[in-house]
Amino acid sequence: MFYREAGDFKVSYRDDSQTFPIKFDRYRYYVVLAVAFGIIPFIINDYWANALLLPFLIYAIAAIGLNILVGYCGQVSLGTGGFMAVGAYACYKLMTAFPDVSMFIHVLLAGGITAIVGVLFGLPSLRIKGFYLAVATLAAQFFLVWLFNRVPWFYNYSASGQINAPERDVFGIIITGPNAPAWATYLFCLIFLTLCAILARNLTRGTTGRTWMAIRDMDIAAEIIGVNPLKAKLTAFAVSSFFVGIAGALFFAVYLGAVEVGEVFGIQKSFLVLFMVIIGGLGSIFGSFAGAAFLVLLPVVLKVVGVDVLGWPTDIVAHLQLVIVGALIVMFLILEPHGLAQLWRVAKEKLRLWPFPH
């Protein structure tokens, strides 16, 4: 009885088409934002930041970006790890070349550089699609990792071959390096996630999102009715790569601090973000959040239950995690292709009618 649309009248088309048409949803959204910005920074510690919150925030940005490309535009991509590496190395070069520029600008410019690279590797999508496009993006993944490994200029000729984030601050507060407080890094990533989610939501609800979905559903019919496939596909690759590049820059500069491209941004990173999108739900911004939260929480929960409570060996728990993720992907693809987001939508529809059967 607490989740009702009755009495929440719409008097304009703008009211009827808003993101949260039910007042309860809007209040819940404001409460979540208030808790995220006003409470968590005061109670967060290093463990919660490094084990849960920072990975969730950064992977959610990457999942939103990949969901725009795969879920909304229907272009299969297996090169997310490589594009995250572009964002990380672009941010590193900008941080070392322009130390006095704000980190906000560095991260945004790293996303822009990644968008340009994404458009270049998205050009084959104009001629190929499906499995062949997946292979093309997979080639981009291996090529970018090879490039950052083999060209010393990208890691400033370091003997170790890895990149290390120098200490930088925003408004006098350190946000990169070993001395950065947990609440500062959390808020820095949270601001980017909030802005990316709002931008993605408005893009997917507007004309650009409708052209993406038209290409996804039937590209030939979309072209017949006037949709430009060149513009639609390349904008999807650009926006997706922009978000993924921001995630890569934050993953390197704020979360890890030091990166070796082959270990951090390998093919397993591409599959991890893809699994987040599949489990969370294709074509859903909320699904990107849900998938990221699930796959970040799963290893922690399994470690607590399997190792700390049941006393199992850590290698068995690690293999069990792979089994669970694989079984869930198969289950969702067969039983619920729209993932956790669809389950959430069904639950809300049930609540709108409960306790009445009709």
Side-chain angles (χ1 to χ4, degrees), residues 20 23-36:
F20 301 106
K23 192 176 298 183
F24 181 86
D25 283 336
R26 292 196 295 274
Y27 290 159
R28 183 186 59 200
Y29 171 72
Y30 296 142
V31 168
V32 170
L33 282 182
V35 171

Side-chain angles (χ1 to χ4, degrees), residues 45-63:
N45 55 35
D46 288 336
Y47 172 77
W48 286 99
N50 294 323
L52 292 175
L53 293 175
L54 289 184
F56 163 69
L57 297 175
I58 295 170
Y59 281 130
I61 297 175

Side-chain angles (χ1 to χ4, degrees), residues 5 8-12 15-18 20-22 26:
E5 199 168 1
D8 196 359
F9 301 111
K10 314 296 188 303
V11 295
S12 67
D15 292 338
D16 194 46
S17 60
Q18 59 188 329
F20 301 106
I22 299 178
R26 292 196 295 274

Side-chain angles (χ1 to χ4, degrees), residues 291-306:
F294 182 85
L295 287 184
V296 169
L297 280 171
L298 181 63
V300 179
V301 173
L302 286 178
K303 179 183 179 300
V304 171
V305 175

